[in-house]
Amino acid sequence: MNTHTTRLTLTRPDDWHLHLRDGAALRSVLPDTARRFARAIIMPNLRPPVVTTAQAADYRARILTALPDALTGQFEPLMTLYLTDTTTPDEITRARESGIVQAIKLYPAGATTHSDAGVTDMTRCGAALAQMEKLDLPLLVHGEVTDPTVDIFDREKIFIDRVLIPLQQRFPGLRIVFEHITTREAVEFVQSSPGRIAATITPHHLMLNRNALFAGGLRPHHYCLPVLKREVHRQALIQAATSGHARFFLGTDSAPHPVSGKESACGCAGIYSAHAAIEFYAEVFEQAGKLDRLEAFASVHGADFYGLPRNTTTISLIRQNWPLPQQLAFGEETLIPLGAGQEAHWKLVED
Ligand code: NCD
Ligand code: ZN
């Protein structure tokens, strides 16, 4: 592909990390993802969290019901369970046998939005982790320590030494996805680890560094967890995503919150990117001169790592400037999406 590419056709991509919420909010955001992606790994951090296979099956049914008619049959939600101190090996077995649960999510308690039910101590969930290792059910980790004495910009780097390395030593066969990585240290860790650990990378961590949080004033819509990092880290993420390395793949972490939750004295963490997710990635890959590597990152590496079939349909993008929306409906409220009011340079061809 050269710099004059004007149309890009890709195997339909998958989003390996997505927050869809529930109810009216779910109905508002789901079409944005389903128009672009064939499948998505659905985060279980609802209130209350999705902790059993039965709850995951119900949530999956609500997602499928929320799909508009035009998109029915085009999108498959891949469910996850929320790991807690009390998750049993039997629940892991049920999850694996269900065929609808593809992974288990570890949130260190208190690390992020709706994570208060998360794991308080890794020694508490040993039996569940051993069963996941045995049945080859992947563990997805929110990779930040929650120790309040650790500087927020160091929480991912320190998680590697304090939690991830001991976890790998204890369960060498466990398949792990280090979610939404944000640092050079995380990139290097995944590159230098043996084959059972991969990482997802978000569009916002590829597009923005931490200056975006304070550009001319406090920018709550750029606040997410893990928090945006320095430019050197953004560069390391771009390098990793566009390198062709099979253990880096697309995961938007699109995490919608109403304006009222973001523009607050204590604003929620989360950036909404589903309205133009693949378009954002295309722009990053193009700027890096690596548009030819987008398909592997977006449509191949994730499926291969999860041991799922690659998609057989395609999507097309054309090079065209279009204004990103200033705001979007979100249930009864509104949300401010990534890039609000700016221009996107790639556009999805709707068929
Ligand atoms: C996510 C959310 O809002 O659910 N927020 C975020 O900033 N990414 C939670 C998460 O994935 O950490
Ligand atoms: Zn997330």
Side-chain angles (χ1 to χ4, degrees):
M1 236 159 276
N2 58 41
T3 49
H4 303 294
T5 305
T6 55
R7 186 184 177 98
L8 196 57
T9 297
L10 307 171
T11 300
R12 187 169 277 267
D14 301 307
D15 183 349
W16 299 99
H17 183 131
L18 177 67
H19 299 268
L20 281 180
R21 315 306 189 200
D22 212 341
L26 164 65
R27 283 193 294 281
S28 297
V29 298
L30 178 60
D32 282 344
T33 292
R35 271 200 283 272
R36 293 167 174 80
F37 297 95
R39 300 170 289 198
I41 284 277
I42 310 302
M43 287 298 123
N45 63 332
L46 302 181
R47 269 195 200 285
V50 178
V51 295
T52 66
T53 303
Q55 288 170 330
D58 288 347
Y59 186 27
R60 180 173 181 276
R62 296 197 296 280
I63 294 168
L64 291 174
T65 306
L67 269 177
D69 288 346
L71 294 166
T72 300
Q74 271 200 44
F75 176 73
E76 191 187 352
L78 307 174
M79 308 311 291
T80 61
L81 300 189
Y82 190 116
L83 186 66
T84 72
D85 288 349
T86 57
T87 304
T88 62
D90 281 352
E91 196 59 58
I92 299 299
T93 306
R94 268 193 293 280
R96 176 41 109 200
E97 287 176 353
S98 72
I100 60 159
V101 175
Q102 296 297 341
I104 309 292
K105 178 71 189 260
L106 164 68
Y107 289 100
T112 185
T113 308
H114 301 174
S115 67
D116 33 298
V119 171
T120 59
D121 182 340
M122 290 304 284
T123 59
R124 300 238 165 106
C125 45
L129 293 168
Q131 189 69 353
M132 290 165 60
E133 180 183 38
K134 184 170 157 206
L135 302 180
D136 198 15
L137 190 59
L139 178 71
L140 315 183
V141 295
H142 182 107
E144 290 192 289
V145 293
T146 52
D147 179 346
T149 66
V150 175
D151 189 278
I152 189 166
F153 293 101
D154 295 334
R155 285 181 187 178
E156 180 175 285
K157 178 173 78 184
I158 289 178
F159 183 87
I160 297 172
D161 295 323
R162 284 200 197 163
V163 184
L164 216 41
I165 293 174
L167 184 69
Q168 282 181 312
Q169 283 165 350
R170 218 165 135 217
F171 305 101
L174 184 62
R175 199 181 290 272
I176 298 172
V177 183
F178 193 171
E179 301 272 64
H180 44 52
I181 58 167
T182 62
T183 57
R184 184 177 58 193
E185 289 82 359
V187 166
E188 288 169 357
F189 179 70
V190 170
Q191 282 168 339
S192 64
S193 287
R196 298 190 82 75
I197 185 162
T200 54
I201 305 180
T202 75
H204 45 280
H205 290 105
L206 291 168
M207 293 162 66
L208 304 173
N209 67 32
R210 66 189 194 178
N211 285 349
L213 281 163
F214 308 107
L218 189 60
R219 300 290 184 166
H221 300 289
H222 288 158
Y223 176 57
C224 64
L225 288 170
V227 72
L228 296 172
K229 302 296 191 302
R230 283 180 183 276
E231 179 65 9
V232 285
H233 297 293
R234 187 178 80 92
Q235 291 299 332
L237 297 176
I238 292 173
Q239 205 284 325
T242 64
S243 67
H245 190 296
R247 284 184 285 113
F248 294 105
F249 45 83
L250 184 158
T252 62
D253 195 17
S254 181
H257 290 274
V259 178
S260 59
K262 298 283 293 173
E263 297 179 7
S264 151
C266 186
C268 303
I271 293 178
Y272 185 73
S273 60
H275 62 301
I278 191 66
E279 298 90 326
F280 289 136
Y281 285 108
E283 190 157 336
V284 168
F285 275 66
E286 179 174 42
Q287 277 170 11
K290 298 282 172 54
L291 212 40
D292 57 327
R293 299 231 170 116
L294 177 62
E295 184 176 43
F297 175 80
S299 319
V300 174
H301 295 163
D304 289 0
F305 187 81
Y306 274 83
L308 293 170
R310 295 178 185 175
N311 298 317
T312 50
T313 56
T314 59
I315 58 164
S316 291
L317 303 176
I318 49 168
R319 184 195 296 285
Q320 186 181 308
N321 295 345
W322 58 285
L324 290 159
Q326 292 280 5
Q327 57 175 52
L328 292 168
F330 185 54
E332 307 286 284
E333 303 185 66
T334 57
L335 65 78
I336 309 292
L338 181 60
Q342 296 171 16
E343 269 200 340
H345 305 297
W346 286 94
K347 194 169 197 304
L348 184 73
V349 181
E350 304 269 3
D351 13 66

